[in-house]
């Protein structure tokens, strides 16, 4: 695979954050056609929605079956569904039930953490660039964001982050795999960091794309929690389980931390059918493997397109790929949409980028066709 060379890494390393903030990769969708699901467009139009890192292969049949079966109980408050899901998550993670808190996607849990650890006296330390939902929430409440630039290879600079953990820092926030680069911290790296730093300050690890990693079980920091460390791990069903519209997520932390987070909102915000579907999907291992397999096939296809058109890219451990383009990012986005393909784009330190989410193969074929038209070249067959 072609990788971004050292010159390109260094060129944008100090200025990438500002550009990525402006692209809105973590924000609300715009009002353009790119923000609409295909069903909202005229039936004659074929639209490839490759903007929001969604999984087009689900929810799984087992999740759909559970969802439909639970509709008849929708007149009831969903206490039983909540308890069943919590019990299952606790069993899967090897912790007691009081270590688990459910939320409407992981976003609700990120915002709750921002309220617990933010405020006028709060200081949140994280890599830069990274996913900024928690950070933006904390800043809105007056918190300071302590930014630690990614290193020259666009990896987390964990040694500098550890050094910067001084009195007054109220939370360390990590995203693994990172968004928007798609890069990872290995299990050894992040577990060692969390075990050391959590003795001084809480560490929140956002594992939204955890399932797409080559070795998820060996890369999660839940082991730190089991050993008593003050670490919070957030997961979402929005990605590999394809629940972006069903809104289910959870976090794992020490029981006293769970109690504090629960005070900030995420207690009774999930529907019974959604939790029933999540219970089924969590243990549908065959579907999870299928989703990851299809995602990897999609990435391989896009990598091939990029390589044959002479484009570098960031090798990704997620369901999106970030790569540089040789034209104005806004013009590129508009022209791609004119050809029926929605993508994200941005300018970073004078370099324009595209971030394309993985879709079904017909969507990615549409991307390849539109991409060639827009950049004015054809795929090199050699």
């Amino acid at each position: 695979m072609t990788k971004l060379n050292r010159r390109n890494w260094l060129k944008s390393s100090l200025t990438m954050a500002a550009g990525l903030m402006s692209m809105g990769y973590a924000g609300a969708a715009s009002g353009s056609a790119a923000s609409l699901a295909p069903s909202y467009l005229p039936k004659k139009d074929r639209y490839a929605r490759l903007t929001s890192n969604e999984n087009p292969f689900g929810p799984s049949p087992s999740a759909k079956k559970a969802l439909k079966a639970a509709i008849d109980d929708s007149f009831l408050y969903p206490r039983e569904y909540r308890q069943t899901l919590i019990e299952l998550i606790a069993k899967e993670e090897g912790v007691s039930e009081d270590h688990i808190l459910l939320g409407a996607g992981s976003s609700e849990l990120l915002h709750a953490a921002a309220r617990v650890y933010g405020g006028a006296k709060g200081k949140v330390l994280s890599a830069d660039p990274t996913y900024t939902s928690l950070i933006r929430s904390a800043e809105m409440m007056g918190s300071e964001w302590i930014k630690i630039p990614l290193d020259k290879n666009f990896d987390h600079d964990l040694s500098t982050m550890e050094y910067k953990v001084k009195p007054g820092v109220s939370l360390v926030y990590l995203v693994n795999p990172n968004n928007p680069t798609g890069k990872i911290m290995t299990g050894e790296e992040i577990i060692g960091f969390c075990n050391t730093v959590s003795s001084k300050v809480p560490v929140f690890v956002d594992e939204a794309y955890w399932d797409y990693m080559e070795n998820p079980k060996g890369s999660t920091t839940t082991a730190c929690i089991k050993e008593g460390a003050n670490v919070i791990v957030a997961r979402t069903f929005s990605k590999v389980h394809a629940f972006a519209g069903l809104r289910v997520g959870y976090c794992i932390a020490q029981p006293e931390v769970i109690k504090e987070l629960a005070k900030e909102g995420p207690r009774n915000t999930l529907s019974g059918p959604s939790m029933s579907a999540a219970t089924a999907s969590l243990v549908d291992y065959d579907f999870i493997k299928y989703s990851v397999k299809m995602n990897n096939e999609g990435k391989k296809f896009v990598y091939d397109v990029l390589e044959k058109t002479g484009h570098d890219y960031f090798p990704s451990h997620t369901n999106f790929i970030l790569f540089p383009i040789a034209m104005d990012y806004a013009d590129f986005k508009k022209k791609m949409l004119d050809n029926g393909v929605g993508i994200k784009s941005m300018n970073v330190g004078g370099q324009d980028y595209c971030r394309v989410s993985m879709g079904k193969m017909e969507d990615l074929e549409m991307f390849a066709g539109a991409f060639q038209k827009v950049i004015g070249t054809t795929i090199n067959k050699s």
Side-chain angles (χ1 to χ4, degrees):
M1 296 188 301
T2 301
K3 299 183 180 180
L4 286 176
N5 60 38
R6 182 181 178 88
R7 176 177 58 82
N8 285 337
W9 292 120
L10 294 172
K11 178 179 179 181
S12 56
S13 61
L14 296 178
T15 54
M16 192 171 185
L20 291 167
M21 288 287 285
S22 69
M23 73 177 277
Y25 69 88
S30 68
S32 70
S35 68
L36 301 176
S39 59
Y40 290 101
L41 296 176
K43 292 186 181 298
K44 65 180 181 179
D45 292 339
R46 177 77 176 93
Y47 169 68
R49 173 175 165 141
L50 305 175
T51 58
S52 304
N53 305 337
E54 297 151 337
N55 176 8
F57 300 106
S60 70
S62 64
K64 292 177 183 177
K65 182 178 179 180
L67 183 72
K68 293 175 182 177
I71 290 175
D72 288 343
D73 291 335
S74 294
F75 69 97
L76 297 170
Y77 288 108
R79 301 183 187 92
E80 289 79 9
Y81 288 115
R82 181 180 300 106
Q83 184 59 34
T84 298
L85 180 55
I86 289 175
E87 289 176 0
L88 181 60
I89 292 171
K91 179 181 177 181
E92 287 289 299
E93 299 296 344
V95 297
S96 58
E97 295 166 24
D98 56 358
H99 285 77
I100 306 297
L101 179 65
L102 301 179
S106 59
S107 295
E108 187 176 36
L109 302 165
L110 296 173
H111 298 319
R115 291 191 291 273
V116 170
Y117 299 104
K121 296 182 180 180
K123 294 182 180 181
V124 178
L125 185 150
S126 82
D128 181 32
T130 195
Y131 186 69
T132 56
S133 182
L134 183 154
I135 295 164
R136 289 200 305 267
S137 291
E139 285 186 316
M140 288 177 64
M141 293 179 288
S143 299
E144 178 185 349
W145 180 15
I146 302 175
K147 308 175 187 180
I148 307 300
L150 298 176
D151 67 19
K152 64 180 183 295
N153 295 316
F154 275 61
D155 292 317
H156 279 70
D157 187 350
L158 293 177
S159 60
T160 299
M161 294 182 77
E162 181 180 347
Y163 175 75
K164 291 290 186 178
V165 175
K166 306 292 185 182
V169 173
S170 53
L171 184 71
V172 173
Y173 177 62
L174 303 173
V175 182
N176 194 40
N178 197 20
N179 184 5
T181 65
K183 301 197 73 179
I184 63 169
M185 290 167 275
T186 67
E188 182 178 356
E189 290 173 331
I190 193 169
I191 290 172
F193 176 87
C194 287
N195 281 333
T196 299
V197 173
S198 64
S199 64
K200 306 173 185 176
V201 62
V203 180
F204 192 116
V205 185
D206 186 341
E207 295 184 349
Y209 300 92
W210 172 78
D211 301 273
Y212 291 111
M213 299 173 73
E214 186 174 338
N215 180 25
K217 294 290 186 181
S219 303
T220 179
T221 51
T222 55
C224 303
I225 299 171
K226 296 175 189 177
E227 295 172 1
N230 193 7
V231 174
I232 306 164
V233 171
R235 302 264 180 80
T236 181
F237 283 78
S238 296
K239 305 305 176 185
V240 80
H241 295 280
F243 276 40
L246 289 174
R247 311 310 300 139
V248 180
Y250 64 93
C251 69
I252 313 160
Q254 300 304 330
E256 60 272 19
V257 174
I258 293 295
K259 290 178 182 178
E260 292 302 311
L261 292 172
K263 292 177 183 178
E264 295 301 329
R267 292 188 297 273
N268 300 304
T269 53
L270 282 71
S271 73
S274 290
M275 288 187 285
S276 178
T279 300
S281 190
L282 186 65
V283 291
D284 194 337
Y285 309 117
D286 288 339
F287 176 76
I288 294 171
K289 290 178 181 178
Y290 169 76
S291 287
V292 173
K293 175 178 178 291
M294 298 304 290
N295 182 71
N296 289 341
E297 289 180 4
K299 287 196 295 185
K300 185 178 183 301
F301 175 85
V302 175
Y303 288 154
D304 190 53
V305 169
L306 295 175
E307 290 171 3
K308 290 182 176 180
T309 54
H311 288 75
D312 295 328
Y313 56 83
F314 290 75
S316 173
H317 296 264
T318 65
N319 62 348
F320 60 82
I321 299 170
L322 184 70
F323 64 93
I325 51 178
M327 63 184 298
D328 177 74
Y329 76 99
D331 188 39
F332 177 80
K333 179 178 180 180
K334 180 180 183 302
K335 288 181 177 179
M336 289 292 287
L337 188 57
D338 288 343
N339 283 277
V341 178
I343 50 85
K344 291 286 187 181
S345 63
M346 77 223 81
N347 182 276
V348 181
Q351 172 64 61
D352 296 289
Y353 285 87
C354 168
R355 192 198 70 182
V356 56
S357 303
M358 296 301 97
K360 293 183 177 179
M361 191 53 66
E362 55 262 38
D363 298 316
L364 299 179
E365 289 172 348
M366 282 189 66
F367 165 80
F371 184 58
Q372 292 174 77
K373 289 180 182 178
V374 170
I375 65 175
T377 189
T378 57
I379 291 178
N380 179 4
K381 299 294 184 180
S382 60

